């Protein structure tokens, strides 16, 4: 589980990430950077779920699924760079 002190920052981080990916349509290095950060975010999320022993749907469907999708986005961004 995420520490509650970081919860107010999450909407700002997610909005900045979405803006970075959209802006990356026109500026490819930003797409590569943003997608790499998203992969790191979901790697951390998977690690935190494992550490918290939350081995159910949250880990396998949500965090791991989004890690796969963000990794695919990162690979695509690298190929188009």
């Amino acid at each position: 589980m995420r520490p509650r002190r970081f919860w107010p920052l999450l909407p700002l981080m997610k909005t900045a990430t979405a803006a970075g990916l959209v802006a990356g349509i026109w500026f490819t290095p930003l797409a590569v950077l943003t997608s790499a950060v998203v992969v790191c975010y979901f790697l951390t999320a998977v690690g935190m779920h494992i550490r918290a022993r939350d081995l159910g749907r949250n880990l396998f469907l949500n965090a791991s699924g989004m890690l796969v999708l963000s990794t695919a986005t990162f690979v695509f961004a690298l190929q188009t760079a």
Side-chain angles (χ1 to χ4, degrees), residues 23-33 77-78 80-81:
I25 293 171
W26 297 281
F27 187 60
T28 308
L30 184 59
V32 173
L33 175 66
L78 281 175
T80 59

Side-chain angles (χ1 to χ4, degrees), residues 7-71:
W7 284 11
L9 295 174
L10 291 176
L12 177 63
M13 290 171 48
K14 291 179 180 184
T15 302
T17 300
L21 289 173
V22 170
I25 293 171
W26 297 281
F27 187 60
T28 308
L30 184 59
V32 173
L33 175 66
T34 305
S35 58
V37 170
V38 173
V39 169
C40 292
Y41 175 84
F42 284 111
L43 278 172
T44 303
V46 168
M48 291 296 108
H49 280 285
I50 292 170
R51 183 175 181 202
R53 296 188 180 156
D54 180 16
L55 304 176
R57 182 179 145 254
N58 287 333
L59 170 63
F60 290 105
L61 183 62
N62 298 340
S64 299
M66 291 305 294
L67 176 60
V68 169
L69 290 174
S70 62
T71 302

